[in-house]
Amino acid sequence: MPSRWLAAGRSPTGVLPVEPVILRFPSNFPLLAPKISLRMDFDRSHPHITPGSADKPPVPCLIEGRISEFMQVAGFVGVVNQISEWLNHAAEGSLIKPEQGWEPVRRDDVPHFIAADANFLRGKADGTERHHYIPFVYARWKLNDEEMVDGWLSKETTPISEKLVPRFFSEEAHNKHFSTGFSIALLVTPGKLPNGAMKQVGTYLPETVSTIAELRVRAEEYGCANALAGGLLHLSKSLAASGIRNYRFPIPIILMAARPYNLIGYSSPIELVPYIIMGNARKILPDDEKTAVIPTGLLDALTPELLRRLSGVNESGHSQPWTLFGAGSLGSHIALSMGRMGDAPGTIVDRDILSPHNAARYALVPTNYPSSLMNNKAVALQEAIGDLKQQPSILTNDIQIILSTPDLRRQAIPKDTWAIVDTTGSLTVRDKLLSEASGIKARVIEGGLYGSGAAAILTIEGPDHNPSVGDLVGTTYELARHNTQLKAALFPDRAAHQRWNIGQGCGSLTMALPDATVSLFSSSMALAIADLRRDGLPSDGGQLLLGLRDGIQVQWRAVSVPPVKIVAADDGMPWTIRVSDKVDKAIAAEVAQHPKEETGGFIMGRISEASGTIFVTGLLPAPEDSTRSAGKFELGKKGVRKAIEAYSTSSGGSLYCLGTWHSHLAPSGPSSLDRLTASIIERGRIAPSALLIHTPIGYRALVTGET
């Protein structure tokens, strides 16, 4: 201590130069830590003192958590050092600091707990001293002769009168140890001082309240004694006149205190200090002023804000909702993971029914079997998310119909939708999204599992659907050509989807894999989506996230995909050719090597006939017997068939020859020779073929065949 404190015999906060500390060692020490207490007359107004009766020695709160667990890490010496540190800070008056926040009155080892929306309660502190009644739902049980009450406060206040009381008071005994019921909580708020400011309580008052008389004193110190007295009196008269049966019930009482600065971890200086009394209809205070008052723990009610806070994400949430297509195994896992982060989908779209076999790997657990099964998946997922206090809307129509019907599409994808997360695994849904892209502002994020859980892919479209999910899938197939593990997952030797018996004469075409595998991938996808929600969608292209599993390990790889070149077919043909950035650069490099003559080759990729789109993802060089000149390029034939087959085989047949490309030295469109070539190709090929022309000012194209 400083010399002037030593001369005074104590610090300004009342701490002595030598403080006696009592340690009571349990029989199983060192497994459990000793009980620690201070001298009886130690000033109890210090923060970090655990609740306790004034006739027992004060107990310091040394750490956040259990002291026995701390001792197993730091040893007994660590406990002694912590006592010394605590006393040093107590002497300095620095156990609590404004920059840290105000420490609420300790609620250690209390028997009762109340869950409530703290923001709702704090919102009642408007500078007027008054009382409020709030409906209270509770469970009460006895354990080893100790009675415990846990309950939930409503998010609304209610008037109370002798006529209204029967609505709010009832109890049902389930057995001699457990009962549930309804009651009323009393919330009292502090008033303003004569100068108009709300009364602030800047002195830390440790919890010593044990009777109504002591509670009234504490309420006086907080500035809400009149509200407490008035609230108890009116409730007492209403109960006595109501005529309800006389039984013993809990009544929560919540005092409010305005602190000089915000509470630790909160953005409000209003502290809620809860208690419970046990009263009855005839006499709300059975022992008058000696009626027992029990300090009670206050838990934040389950709200999206609480979920976001505990998930470490933005507590204020996101302004734009997102839509989920598919409430199946992957979709339900992602939706509930996001829901536990306080960011569940705003809309869920799925027409299918939840069957018993879905319980094998859906995140939905049948809670009220059988009614929770044989229900729409979207409804079941909506109910599960509802338990997380979030309320998505649902559509149970076919997605094809929804996307084709303007009114339904607006319901499924509201104007402010952040993105569509498609987990249906349906190629027709993907193609429908591609064909309707011009009318959908929201980007598409597609997630899927492949190869019986060997791989997972998450695709994120770029701005204005460029690259689109179709472009990103094509890029994935190109990557698989050079990655054996990815290729095996995407294009397995036998179909990953098989028919499995799920009942007599009934089967399901699905991928058999354990829920743990779905969870392994879905958790990463949910984190990726959460990161995108926080940081924003890609602004300069799209992105691929590829996850490859090796036992219990998953290796994720992020691939940025630049925008594609979009070419409309000449002559009004209803086709669009999308040229990947990689192909565009390769064509430019080839043209640069032949600046004074036309050159060309074969284009590879895939076709979506439903959306009228040709995705150019790769090239094959011109055969060695090709001829180049300033006025014409002629493709040779040597080794063409073998090269095309090898390319297609390397992609599991997912990529194939789309046609040819060649360059023009001048910015001209298709020549008569080009059109003749296209007509010859059309006669010899059933599928549409593209003739892509590179010019100094961009691409032109001809497409043979019809959609």
Side-chain angles (χ1 to χ4, degrees), residues 110-135:
V110 293
H112 311 315
F113 285 92
I114 298 171
D117 187 328
N119 289 332
F120 165 71
L121 298 181
R122 292 189 179 105
K124 297 301 177 183
D126 58 1
T128 302
E129 184 179 355
R130 68 179 75 187
H131 63 263
H132 303 270
Y133 298 114
I134 302 175

Side-chain angles (χ1 to χ4, degrees), residues 569-583:
D570 277 44
D571 297 336
M573 291 292 288
W575 284 97
T576 299
I577 299 91
R578 300 176 70 93
V579 183
S580 75
D581 181 71
K582 179 181 176 181
V583 168

Side-chain angles (χ1 to χ4, degrees), residues 418-431:
W418 172 76
I420 302 164
V421 178
D422 176 20
T423 62
T424 60
S426 168
L427 302 183
T428 58
V429 169
R430 178 194 294 163
D431 276 348

Side-chain angles (χ1 to χ4, degrees), residues 386-551:
D387 289 339
L388 297 173
K389 304 306 178 184
Q390 296 158 83
Q391 293 297 328
S393 61
I394 60 170
L395 279 86
T396 57
N397 311 76
D398 183 276
I399 292 178
Q400 301 286 334
I401 295 174
I402 289 173
L403 294 177
S404 300
T405 310
D407 286 345
L408 291 176
R409 187 165 68 190
R410 281 191 291 270
Q411 293 178 47
I413 316 168
K415 185 170 61 174
D416 60 343
T417 298
W418 172 76
I420 302 164
V421 178
D422 176 20
T423 62
T424 60
S426 168
L427 302 183
T428 58
V429 169
R430 178 194 294 163
D431 276 348
K432 186 64 175 177
L433 284 167
L434 289 172
S435 62
E436 299 291 340
S438 61
I440 300 174
K441 183 178 179 181
R443 301 194 213 179
V444 176
I445 299 173
E446 183 183 293
L449 303 182
Y450 299 86
S452 298
I457 300 173
L458 193 71
T459 63
I460 302 109
E461 287 189 333
D464 299 322
H465 307 289
N466 189 3
S468 69
V469 64
D471 300 316
L472 296 166
V473 168
T475 301
T476 305
Y477 293 162
E478 284 289 343
L479 293 171
R481 293 181 54 231
H482 309 288
N483 186 311
T484 304
Q485 189 177 1
L486 179 60
K487 179 181 177 181
L490 291 179
F491 317 117
D493 294 335
R494 64 190 184 99
H497 287 73
Q498 302 177 50
R499 181 180 174 85
W500 297 89
N501 288 330
I502 59 171
Q504 185 171 302
C506 299
S508 174
L509 187 65
T510 187
M511 186 188 301
L513 70 163
D515 177 79
T517 300
V518 179
S519 300
L520 190 64
F521 286 115
S522 66
S523 58
S524 297
M525 291 183 177
L527 286 173
I529 293 170
D531 287 347
L532 291 168
R533 294 281 276 167
R534 181 194 65 217
D535 301 330
L537 292 163
S539 59
D540 55 353
Q543 191 176 55
L544 280 173
L545 293 178
L546 307 175
L548 298 177
R549 182 170 68 90
D550 182 9

Side-chain angles (χ1 to χ4, degrees), residues 50 99 160 175 230 303 441 461 504 584 599:
T50 59
E99 59 270 21
I160 285 294
N175 55 53
T303 62
K441 183 178 179 181
E461 287 189 333
Q504 185 171 302
D584 178 50
T599 186

Side-chain angles (χ1 to χ4, degrees), residues 457-685:
I457 300 173
L458 193 71
T459 63
I460 302 109
E461 287 189 333
D464 299 322
H465 307 289
N466 189 3
S468 69
V469 64
D471 300 316
L472 296 166
V473 168
T475 301
T476 305
Y477 293 162
E478 284 289 343
L479 293 171
R481 293 181 54 231
H482 309 288
N483 186 311
T484 304
Q485 189 177 1
L486 179 60
K487 179 181 177 181
L490 291 179
F491 317 117
D493 294 335
R494 64 190 184 99
H497 287 73
Q498 302 177 50
R499 181 180 174 85
W500 297 89
N501 288 330
I502 59 171
Q504 185 171 302
C506 299
S508 174
L509 187 65
T510 187
M511 186 188 301
L513 70 163
D515 177 79
T517 300
V518 179
S519 300
L520 190 64
F521 286 115
S522 66
S523 58
S524 297
M525 291 183 177
L527 286 173
I529 293 170
D531 287 347
L532 291 168
R533 294 281 276 167
R534 181 194 65 217
D535 301 330
L537 292 163
S539 59
D540 55 353
Q543 191 176 55
L544 280 173
L545 293 178
L546 307 175
L548 298 177
R549 182 170 68 90
D550 182 9
I552 63 172
Q553 301 290 331
V554 175
Q555 183 68 44
W556 285 93
R557 173 189 174 194
V559 180
S560 295
V561 182
V564 303
K565 290 288 193 300
I566 301 174
V567 186
D570 277 44
D571 297 336
M573 291 292 288
W575 284 97
T576 299
I577 299 91
R578 300 176 70 93
V579 183
S580 75
D581 181 71
K582 179 181 176 181
V583 168
D584 178 50
K585 285 183 169 59
I587 288 177
E590 170 70 12
V591 170
Q593 288 184 358
H594 302 278
K596 296 183 179 181
E597 53 190 6
E598 293 185 2
T599 186
F602 293 94
I603 53 176
M604 307 295 291
R606 46 191 298 275
I607 297 173
S608 168
E609 295 194 37
S611 63
T613 308
I614 295 174
F615 300 94
V616 183
T617 63
L619 298 176
L620 280 177
E624 60 184 45
D625 57 339
S626 301
T627 58
R628 297 176 177 86
S629 67
K632 184 173 65 172
F633 169 72
E634 290 188 42
L635 267 174
K637 299 179 180 179
K638 187 175 181 180
V640 170
R641 183 183 298 274
K642 185 176 180 180
I644 291 175
E645 288 179 352
Y647 194 107
S648 184
T649 300
S650 70
S651 67
S654 63
L655 303 174
Y656 36 84
C657 183
L658 302 173
T660 64
W661 77 272
H662 69 275
S663 62
H664 283 184
L665 300 184
S668 59
S671 65
S672 56
L673 179 59
D674 294 334
R675 297 181 188 280
L676 177 61
T677 302
S679 65
I680 294 172
I681 293 174
E682 183 175 9
R683 290 195 296 269
R685 180 180 166 104

